[in-house]
Amino acid sequence: MSKQAEKGPAAENPEELLDLKITHPKDWAAGIPAVTVAMVDILKETGLARGMEGLFHMNKKSGFDCSGCAWPDPDDDRSPIAEYCENGAKALAEEATTKKLTGDFFAENSVADLAKLNDYEIGKKGRIAQPVYLAKGATHYTPVSWDFAFKKIADELNALASPDEAAFYTSGRTSNEASFTYQLFVREFGTNNMPDCSNMCHESTGVGLADTIGIGKGTVTLNDFYDTDVIIIMGQNPGTNHPRMLSALEKAKQKGSKIIAVNPLHEAGLMGFKNPQTVKGILGIKTQLADLYLQVKINGDMALLKAMEKLLYEAERENSGSVFDHEFIKKNTTGYVAFLDSLNQYKIDDLAKAAGLTVNEIEQAVDLIKNKSRIIICWAMGITQHKNGVDTVKEIVNLAMLKGAIGKPGAGLCPVRGHSNVQGNRTMMIWDKPKPKQLDKLREVFGFEPPRGHGYDVVESIKAMDEDKLKVFFAMGGNFLSATPDTLFTAQAMRKLKLSVHVSTKLNRSHLVHGEEALILPTLSRSDKDVVNGEEQFISCENSMGVVQMSKGMLKPVSEHLMNENQIICNLAKATLGNRAFVDWDKYSQSYDAVRDAIAKVIPGCEDYNQKVRLPGGFYLPNAAREGKFITEKNGAVVPFNIAPLPKHELAADEYHMATIRSHDQFNTTIYGLDDRYRGIHNERRVILMNENDMKNAGFRAEEKVDLFNYDDGVERVARLFVVVPYNIPEGNTATYYPEANVLVPINSVAEQSNTPTSKLVNIKIRKHVG
Ligand code: SF4
């Protein structure tokens, strides 16, 4: 057994805890408290006038796209007052803060001192106001000019033995325009090493859906929610992660839809909603959301889906043609008979047990959908971040196909993306595995030969850093270290780099665990006004439902030294490629319109991009599956039923399954505050939620201090000093917040086929804290 060297970020091993307060978890979300919390954050960070101006323009047709999640804006009936949620307001407070970090700040604070702070404290420091550089062996970042920064990166890139010794990461905030020029630069430079945040979240969805329905995206629009019979929400917590979805669910309920929630935790936002934009909500009257709450075990979803399919099959046999959509199945699918046969191997009692449910609960779910075909199935990371994540996505497709619930109004598949333009990044070819057809198009339009081999995804990039195969790491946004698994391993790998570069708005942990040399390049945020050559620019983004629309910031940037992402890329391309460039980088650095014209030539569905994106509300990208047409690579026009085994879960007597989750005061790796008020946890993030029977059996009392361990691959991983919180969670299951518990997620524990880290299922042991 090897022990992981504790050379990670200093804050991974705190010596003391805060003053935890536990209250009763809520059974409703939003309401007046959401408005109050949002306003307090705005006032504190931006001041009243700046904050209100930003909020007024957020998610409006002529305004800017919230940099939070990818939940879509209504096509037509947008609120004239507030088209945002509590977390959207918090996201604005973060990025529009008037606090800024100038040269003085970096002179006063060494990297080592900053690294002692926790992620919340680091994030609250303010916006980075100028490019800064950390020289080899230096203790402090120092201000540098943009020219110095571009030359430094270009020199390092050009000195590499191969372009494949560099990797270029993308976070979901990056606009379509910047994503397009970024991948163009990276491919002209000569590599497909383009890890992105999709690799860590919905990659299992992309793989599972592309293999089955022929497109790695969902098939529903927001309007389908208002015209459906049943909405099934699996492994998703909309109250915290996509709060405006609650308005859509409320409207769906008003129109008679039923909701089935499937989650190991009773999440407030799945149970009830107090809409602060209605009189009813202001009066504190909630809309009941879930009609049936299925509290599965962690990763019990596959067993639940199979159990539902099995019971539906029995009902169909009793009353042929009344349950399954034979017309849909005959026309669009293959493998139906073999699939039904495969269900015969399971006993319903065993499936229910594996799901962590009673047979009766599953029968209730089946009763709700048995005679309906307008069914929407939503899911998020609770489904994808498992070894069998791709297979579970395909099982969701199986269920939808049996019911003919794809490709018609009020029905379909709805993977809900977590970061505002993560789907658009991929549409714009941010991908380590580009298709030959896409690369052919780049060659045809730009005249250079793009690299053809697959590049590194996120996990592969970390391993390549560790093996000294990567020398330069360039991150377009994000907080790579805090987002990735196996924190100490990743930190050690990142320290082996020759140069690490981050294009960022705010300081984060990844700036403090760096290569031999490091640069931070400050960029504009979504709400910032973007002016190039005296002309105001706008960008565009794609939401979770494939709508592309413009986004135009209006707030005065905190510093004159910020540069938009597109210009950073174009300037870097010029500095790196010089005379050998085929692409006219000057042209693209001057105007997003020129970039959009190039997008129109390369990306299918983006023809006339400049015109279409200027339409109020934008335009829908083509989605054949949404129209009931399936164009699959392997199977032509038919969708295969997928036959997957049940996942096997073996736990030793003293082991538990752990899922990493967000608190309500958090968006991805950005920590807005220290409370998780829906779950009743306040003023502490180093908590582990445990079932009370498990606590009793292990001899833990409430608020006991414990250390957490994982032993995959014969390595001891430790997360020290957590507090036990008794919680309504299935026996054998626990939950912790990320990034604090990422240290326990083994680098080799990934989803089959998609390589997504299994952050929702890690085997852990829990021991009393040794202080
Ligand atoms: S639902 Fe998502 S996109 Fe909409 S305002 Fe909230 S965080 Fe922003």
Side-chain angles (χ1 to χ4, degrees), residues 446-478:
F446 295 101
F448 69 88
E449 184 56 62
R452 297 278 164 173
H454 287 178
Y456 296 134
D457 63 16
V458 163
V459 167
E460 289 164 344
S461 292
I462 297 167
K463 289 181 179 174
M465 289 177 202
D466 180 57
E467 291 162 13
D468 291 323
K469 290 180 186 161
L470 280 182
K471 306 273 190 276
V472 177
F473 178 71
F474 186 101
M476 183 57 77

Side-chain angles (χ1 to χ4, degrees), residues 58-61 71-84 221-226 244 247-248 250-252 254-255 275 277 549 616-617 620:
M58 182 181 265
N59 295 328
K60 297 278 174 63
K61 284 185 179 171
W71 187 253
D73 307 309
D75 285 346
D76 302 311
D77 55 341
R78 292 192 197 178
S79 162
I81 313 159
E83 197 52 70
Y84 55 84
T221 69
L222 198 49
N223 290 330
D224 288 317
F225 277 75
Y226 312 140
R244 275 190 310 155
S247 309
E250 180 181 53
K251 198 164 161 186
Q254 285 161 354
K255 297 205 161 203
N275 188 340
Q277 293 205 36
Q549 63 179 325
Y620 279 88

Side-chain angles (χ1 to χ4, degrees), residues 295-306:
Q295 191 176 15
V296 287
K297 284 184 192 167
I298 292 175
N299 203 20
D301 310 87
M302 175 68 99
L304 167 64
L305 288 161
K306 283 187 185 294

Side-chain angles (χ1 to χ4, degrees), residues 250 253-254 271-274 280 285-289:
E250 180 181 53
K253 289 282 298 200
Q254 285 161 354
M271 293 188 279
F273 176 42
K274 293 184 183 173
K280 184 179 148 192
I285 303 165
K286 73 174 177 186
T287 298
Q288 182 73 31
L289 293 178

Side-chain angles (χ1 to χ4, degrees), residues 98-169:
T98 47
K99 289 184 250 165
K100 59 180 176 179
L101 311 184
T102 59
D104 290 348
F105 171 85
F106 289 104
E108 284 159 17
N109 293 278
S110 70
V111 171
D113 284 342
L114 290 170
K116 286 180 195 148
L117 305 177
N118 62 38
D119 287 40
Y120 168 65
E121 293 163 328
I122 293 170
K124 288 291 175 205
K125 291 292 174 197
R127 290 283 297 268
I128 299 160
Q130 59 202 114
V132 288
Y133 168 62
L134 186 72
K136 186 175 174 182
T139 53
H140 292 67
Y141 277 98
T142 50
V144 290
S145 68
W146 280 102
D147 284 346
F148 172 92
F150 292 132
K151 184 169 181 326
K152 177 88 218 149
I153 306 166
D155 287 349
E156 292 296 340
L157 289 176
N158 285 328
L160 297 175
S162 154
D164 288 332
E165 289 185 342
F168 298 83
Y169 174 75

